[in-house]
Amino acid sequence: MDVKNNILEIEHLQTQFRVGRKKVYAVNDVSLTVKRGHTLGIVGESGCGKSVTAHSILQLLPQNGAITGGSILFAPDADSPVMELQKMKRTGKEIRAVRGQKIAMIFQDPLSSLNPVYTIGYQIMENLKLHEKGISKEEAKARIIDLLGKLGIPEPAQRYNEYPHQFSGGMKQRVMIAIAMICNPGLLIADEPTTALDVTIQAQILRLMKQLKEDFGTSIILITHNMGIVAEACDEVAVMYMGRVVESGTKRQIFANPQHPYTCALLRSVPVPGMPEDKELDSIPGSTPDASIRFDHCEFQPRCEHACGRCMDGFPPVYECEPGHMVRCFVKEGARQHD
């Protein structure tokens, strides 16, 4: 692992669920790299494996889920020993010491993540006292109020003692960010953090996350289905389909020179400034296959406008179109194959 430049490296990750007698292949051979101080956007349709990949990092899988292959390597800083997160027990001390302190997660819905019977201050305090045992209550409260103020919550000393129902949706999401950031983690995973918010509040939350990255040097994984959010907030992008990364590269590479037919289809489905009012957005034909089916060829083939006979011969390898720009598609067979 390149600990100097990368905080997280995922190699050939596989995660499965057992549902009755079926196996659900949620994550299939996923490889990702998160650079220090950068934001990686993971984008794709619902059910493509984005959230399961994130939950696998922190061993937050339900009892019927398991990592069945691959590695998840994490180095909090350039001088730290590399941690192999996939080898840690999901209820063990090792992974509990990582969660919240070194890697924090913002979940999709703040309404279901915040406990309605405890004050905001108490809920942020819980995470802080869990990981910093010797901190006094006065020092902890001062840190929390200071962070709430930095996150744009007005009158933070007063709001510290208020309950979730007294906060708007956008303010609840800021509280979730405060819970995640109070221990200054090196890596922040944001799972659809703006889904339930209106457009104005979405923009505020994205600006806030960008500010956190600049102020604290935090690395971020941003999970979304919205290509507009990716364009606004990310440095690198990984496009997922049916549990696989089908294309990855810098934001410029993905938006200016998309190579995979699925990436191109996603971009055509997004409105852009200046487009005619009567122009209909493109949709991707068909629907995502059943994840319990074990494919032996490209999963996107039935929906792909460029599908050919080669697509049924097996999984396409990863090709490098340009430095750092990878695509998993037989259309790019002439490009240099990536190891």
Side-chain angles (χ1 to χ4, degrees):
M1 177 177 179
D2 181 4
V3 296
K4 182 179 178 181
N5 297 307
N6 303 331
I7 192 169
L8 184 79
E9 291 183 6
I10 300 174
E11 293 290 340
H12 307 295
L13 178 67
Q14 298 180 52
T15 301
Q16 299 176 5
F17 296 94
R18 183 167 287 281
V19 181
R21 295 184 178 181
K22 283 185 178 181
K23 281 185 180 179
V24 176
Y25 305 98
V27 176
N28 303 302
D29 195 29
V30 163
S31 295
L32 295 170
T33 297
V34 183
K35 297 180 179 178
R36 295 193 184 279
H38 283 225
T39 299
L40 170 69
I42 303 179
V43 64
E45 293 172 284
S46 296
C48 74
K50 307 184 300 292
S51 294
V52 177
T53 299
H55 291 172
S56 298
I57 293 170
L58 285 174
Q59 296 276 11
L60 290 174
L61 300 169
Q63 288 300 313
N64 66 333
I67 295 171
T68 57
S71 64
I72 305 169
L73 304 179
F74 173 67
D77 54 64
D79 300 320
S80 301
V82 176
M83 300 179 181
E84 297 183 88
L85 302 184
Q86 85 285 353
K87 291 185 177 180
M88 296 180 182
K89 293 182 179 179
R90 68 180 71 186
T91 56
K93 289 183 179 179
E94 285 184 305
I95 195 66
R96 288 205 304 270
V98 172
R99 294 177 189 144
Q101 185 176 29
K102 294 179 173 65
I103 304 176
M105 192 162 184
I106 305 169
F107 296 95
Q108 258 186 56
D109 184 9
L111 292 175
S112 60
S113 300
L114 292 171
N115 192 321
V117 302
Y118 291 108
T119 64
I120 293 302
Y122 179 88
Q123 295 185 60
I124 303 173
M125 178 86 72
E126 266 191 320
N127 191 33
L128 184 56
K129 296 193 85 171
L130 177 66
H131 295 291
E132 297 189 23
K133 305 288 186 185
I135 192 170
S136 67
K137 187 173 181 181
E138 293 74 22
E139 184 185 349
K141 182 176 180 180
R143 272 179 59 179
I144 292 167
I145 290 172
D146 179 62
L147 180 58
L148 291 175
K150 287 178 178 176
L151 293 177
I153 294 178
E155 301 178 344
Q158 176 185 327
R159 304 291 260 172
Y160 175 92
N161 294 307
E162 293 182 351
Y163 292 84
H165 73 272
Q166 296 173 277
F167 286 69
S168 66
M171 287 298 170
K172 284 190 183 81
Q173 194 60 283
R174 288 168 192 258
V175 171
M176 291 302 300
I177 294 173
I179 293 172
M181 291 301 300
I182 192 61
C183 293
N184 295 322
L187 177 62
L188 180 65
I189 302 173
D191 188 0
E192 301 271 12
T194 61
T195 296
L197 307 176
D198 63 51
V199 176
T200 305
I201 304 301
Q202 278 187 20
Q204 291 177 5
I205 296 298
L206 291 176
R207 280 198 300 270
L208 177 57
M209 292 179 66
K210 187 175 180 180
Q211 195 66 45
L212 287 172
K213 183 176 70 172
E214 293 173 355
D215 291 349
F216 299 101
T218 310
S219 305
I220 300 173
I221 296 176
L222 178 59
I223 297 169
T224 182
H225 62 274
N226 188 326
M227 293 298 280
I229 289 175
V230 171
E232 173 69 24
C234 298
D235 301 301
E236 288 82 32
V237 185
V239 181
M240 286 188 68
Y241 184 77
M242 288 302 294
R244 297 183 193 275
V245 175
V246 295
E247 186 167 2
S248 62
T250 65
K251 178 172 65 176
R252 183 199 62 79
Q253 289 170 336
I254 298 298
F255 280 86
N257 188 29
Q259 296 293 307
H260 197 281
Y262 179 61
T263 309
C264 297
L266 283 178
L267 290 171
R268 288 198 302 269
S269 68
V270 176
V272 295
M275 69 183 297
E277 292 183 7
D278 57 348
K279 178 177 172 56
E280 292 187 8
L281 295 173
D282 289 350
S283 60
I284 304 173
S287 57
T288 53
D290 185 346
S292 66
I293 298 172
R294 190 64 157 174
F295 280 80
D296 59 3
H297 61 273
C298 176
E299 295 98 338
F300 192 58
Q301 181 270 336
R303 308 174 71 187
C304 181
E305 60 185 353
H306 299 292
C308 62
R310 289 281 284 123
C311 301
M312 298 294 290
D313 292 342
F315 293 111
V318 177
Y319 298 102
E320 187 172 31
C321 312
E322 55 184 313
H325 189 178
M326 312 298 177
V327 61
R328 186 188 290 271
C329 182
F330 283 122
V331 172
K332 298 299 158 189
E333 203 164 5
R336 185 174 75 85
Q337 189 168 328
H338 186 67
D339 295 333

